[in-house]
Amino acid sequence: MDTASLAERIERRDFAPEVYAYPTPRMLMPTDTFSISDAQFTDEANIYIHIPFCNQLCSFCGYLKTVDRAGTLQDGYIDALIGEIRLYAPLLSEKTVRTLHFGGGTPTLISDHQLERVLRALTDANPRLLHSATEVSIESTPERIEKKRFETLRDLGFNRVSIGVQTLDDREIALSGRKNGKEISSRAISSLQDAGILNVVVDLMIGIGGQTVKSFERSAQSLASLRPDTVELYALGLMPETRLSKAFFSGISSDISPGISPRTASSRDDAILMGNDDIYRCYSIGQQIFSQAGYVQDCHNRYAIPCRGGFLQEDYLFDGMSVIGLGAGARSYARNIQYRNVHSLNGRVAIAQYIATISSGRNAVTATFVVDDDERARQYAIGHIESLDRAAFSRSFGPFEMRLPEELRQLQESGIAHIDESIIALNPDGLKYRDLVARMFFSPASRSKEREYRSGVAG
Ligand SMILES: C[S@@+](CC[C@H](N)C(=O)[O-])C[C@H]1O[C@@H](n2cnc3c(N)ncnc32)[C@H](O)[C@@H]1O
Ligand code: SF4
């Protein structure tokens, strides 16, 4: 077991995959007795809808999805989704919905008619929804963007659209199995801007196969000149059952990604393709390029044009506002419990089980995790570590130095944070180590589950 301190991890440039929620999905335990009334959701809440269809399977992507070009699975899936919304209707009717996000997969693969049916089911359950939600958001891919379609979506209420550009280097795009070359991606961004989408969001990857520090810099510079409202930087992580992780761990990764240098430090726990030093260099380059271009750094990996960009659903989740997740594999976050709908690494299996379960009138929840006070304190610390108000933490959990003394000591020793009586905040350069810091706050049980999971990825 690696017992290195945070300072030692930073010194040896360890890399940690992104912690996008805590407790992580690895803490979920199987259940077949869950009832929606078991969950205590906050009065203001967010809705997440999972649409698991794609036109391609990218080599690196481990999200729940399947290729369904002919669209044969879609009607059945949308019927089930509407069935699930009706199961949740009594709960939804009581909530003030602050954000609605369609994630995937590629949610824009479903038709306008199907989208409208889902929106109608949601507004039947909660007629105020489209007025109370300040963010209504959907994910798409650059090659699916046509101005007219997105004008229609804007008129339906969508004000945020995110697209996975990943890189503006055509060779890197081809290696990943994607089709959005630089021209397609650039056109997609301007079409969304022309369609009047308020918040145009672009995902850019660090460490995608074949990428170098120089080519990342070129992509980031080109992207900044296209001026999307938000840029999300994702450092490539190896996810189970992806073509990339299988190729990497069977030693044939050069077929997919020539020129890669696997991480230099310690085990394969959190192996990635680009070397760790280079990953951190790219984070710093991104910070410089987007700051100089007038973006503010919203969090460790997000840059936003002030008053336009951002991702409220993620911010609200970290602030403790509940998320009600609907669709195959969707996760829900309530105050007392987190849970996940039927999930499988095989998207088709998950979709079939989801449709069958909802059609029989039952909820689709197959795994839960009860969040106790200790995990809630850790969750809060992770969610606020970029700038944590000690008085606010103390009101819920008691003094930080009593609650998480060892973590505070390690943070002090690492030198990457500003710490005084009122605030604990990562300094600008420390932000790039946010995921190492987040993992330091994991409970012993969570660390052990993560180790099991990572050895599964490699196995
Ligand atoms: C669920 S995908 C949706 C985007 C959309 N389907 C597309 O590909 O254009 C959201 C984002 O997750 C990121 N992502 C996917 N797999 C990843 C991985 N293995 N490591 C890091 N980020 C990843 C990509 O940047 C992707 O755009
Ligand atoms: S990155 Fe996007 S398009 Fe590619 S497989 Fe994942 S969800 Fe589908």
Side-chain angles (χ1 to χ4, degrees):
M1 197 175 92
D2 190 355
T3 53
S5 70
L6 177 64
E8 287 162 339
R9 281 171 195 266
I10 291 170
E11 174 69 26
R12 70 186 192 200
R13 294 284 185 277
D14 275 8
F15 168 78
E18 191 186 355
V19 179
Y20 59 87
Y22 186 82
T24 69
R26 267 63 73 184
M27 295 295 275
L28 295 164
M29 299 297 288
T31 181
D32 54 11
T33 58
F34 177 80
S35 155
I36 295 171
S37 59
D38 293 344
Q40 296 159 10
F41 289 102
T42 51
D43 291 336
E44 292 184 299
N46 307 283
I47 299 179
Y48 172 84
I49 307 242
H50 194 74
I51 306 286
F53 304 114
C54 286
N55 256 341
Q56 68 211 8
L57 293 183
C58 305
S59 64
F60 51 79
C61 178
Y63 290 101
L64 194 160
K65 81 279 169 190
T66 190
V67 171
D68 182 34
R69 284 197 198 91
T72 47
L73 293 172
Q74 293 180 12
D75 277 335
Y77 186 78
I78 298 298
D79 287 345
L81 199 48
I82 289 170
E84 191 182 20
I85 292 169
R86 289 188 182 135
L87 281 181
Y88 275 84
L91 176 81
L92 290 175
S93 71
E94 295 168 358
K95 301 296 168 195
T96 302
V97 177
R98 290 296 178 208
T99 71
L100 169 63
H101 180 74
F102 286 77
T106 307
T108 50
L109 274 185
I110 64 170
S111 67
D112 289 348
H113 175 65
Q114 288 167 326
L115 257 180
E116 276 177 65
R117 286 186 63 210
V118 176
L119 286 176
R120 201 171 321 119
L122 286 168
T123 51
D124 283 349
N126 180 324
R128 304 171 310 280
L129 188 147
L130 288 175
H131 301 286
S132 60
T134 40
E135 180 179 270
V136 182
S137 177
I138 190 162
E139 295 173 9
S140 187
T141 51
E143 64 277 19
R144 307 274 319 157
I145 305 296
E146 282 160 28
K147 180 172 169 239
K148 253 199 148 2
R149 169 106 203 266
F150 282 84
E151 282 170 349
T152 310
L153 294 190
R154 181 203 60 200
D155 292 345
L156 284 175
F158 287 90
N159 55 15
R160 181 183 186 277
V161 176
S162 78
I163 51 172
V165 163
Q166 325 303 4
T167 166
L168 288 163
D169 181 302
D170 289 354
R171 182 176 143 272
E172 294 162 16
I173 282 292
L175 286 168
S176 73
R178 294 178 65 95
K179 300 180 184 68
N180 56 293
K182 182 173 181 181
E183 214 181 302
I184 293 179
S185 294
S186 310
R187 208 177 321 121
I189 294 168
S190 50
S191 299
L192 288 172
Q193 289 164 336
D194 292 347
I197 298 296
L198 181 68
N199 185 2
V200 175
V201 184
V202 167
D203 300 338
L204 191 68
M205 287 179 83
I206 295 178
I208 192 168
Q211 194 177 51
T212 62
V213 174
K214 265 277 149 234
S215 71
F216 169 79
E217 186 171 357
R218 277 195 300 272
S219 285
Q221 243 147 11
S222 305
L223 185 58
S225 68
L226 295 166
R227 294 202 75 67
D229 304 289
T230 308
V231 177
E232 303 257 11
L233 284 186
Y234 289 98
L236 178 81
L238 288 180
M239 291 170 145
E241 293 301 312
T242 56
R243 279 209 312 288
L244 191 62
S245 73
K246 284 183 189 162
F248 184 68
F249 287 111
S250 63
I252 56 160
S253 54
S254 55
D255 285 352
I256 295 183
S257 308
I260 59 162
S261 62
R263 65 198 297 279
T264 44
S266 71
S267 71
R268 285 174 155 189
D269 264 359
D270 39 13
I272 48 157
L273 299 170
M274 191 185 252
N276 298 355
D277 276 343
D278 284 350
I279 293 243
Y280 287 120
R281 231 168 265 145
C282 289
Y283 267 122
S284 301
I285 288 171
Q287 199 170 41
Q288 210 181 349
I289 289 176
F290 293 113
S291 307
Q292 277 172 4
Y295 289 77
V296 291
Q297 187 166 6
D298 239 15
C299 64
H300 68 296
N301 67 342
R302 192 197 306 144
Y303 295 88
I305 299 280
C307 303
R308 293 182 68 95
F311 189 11
L312 287 178
Q313 181 156 118
E314 197 171 81
D315 294 347
Y316 289 164
L317 168 63
F318 276 129
D319 279 346
M321 192 191 291
S322 295
V323 176
I324 299 168
L326 305 164
R331 287 188 71 187
S332 296
Y333 304 82
R335 272 194 297 246
N336 58 330
I337 196 168
Q338 297 192 6
Y339 60 90
R340 182 167 71 183
N341 278 351
V342 55
H343 183 275
S344 164
L345 291 174
N346 182 327
R348 280 191 179 243
V349 169
I351 291 165
Q353 286 175 355
Y354 172 74
I355 293 174
T357 313
I358 297 289
S359 309
S360 70
R362 288 171 295 141
N363 70 63
V365 177
T366 55
T368 58
F369 177 71
V370 174
V371 187
D372 65 17
D373 191 50
D374 177 56
E375 294 290 14
R376 233 189 314 277
R378 293 174 184 281
Q379 182 182 50
Y380 188 98
I382 291 168
H384 294 80
I385 197 53
E386 279 141 6
S387 181
L388 182 141
D389 176 340
R390 293 179 79 158
F393 180 93
S394 187
R395 278 195 292 279
S396 301
F397 307 107
F400 196 91
E401 64 278 15
M402 309 284 279
R403 207 58 208 241
L404 296 161
E406 175 54 19
E407 287 81 355
L408 182 60
R409 193 194 63 72
Q410 286 201 34
L411 211 45
Q412 254 151 352
E413 183 195 63
S414 72
I416 61 165
H418 168 86
I419 300 173
D420 62 29
E421 306 92 70
S422 53
I423 197 166
I424 301 173
L426 294 182
N427 58 40
D429 193 51
L431 279 173
K432 62 176 179 265
Y433 303 111
R434 180 264 182 190
D435 292 310
L436 286 181
V437 176
R439 277 164 201 273
M440 176 189 70
F441 281 103
F442 281 18
S443 64
S446 181
R447 277 164 198 254
S448 134
K449 293 278 184 191
E450 287 297 307
R451 266 195 303 276
E452 270 172 44
Y453 169 72
R454 288 280 139 202
S455 58
V457 173

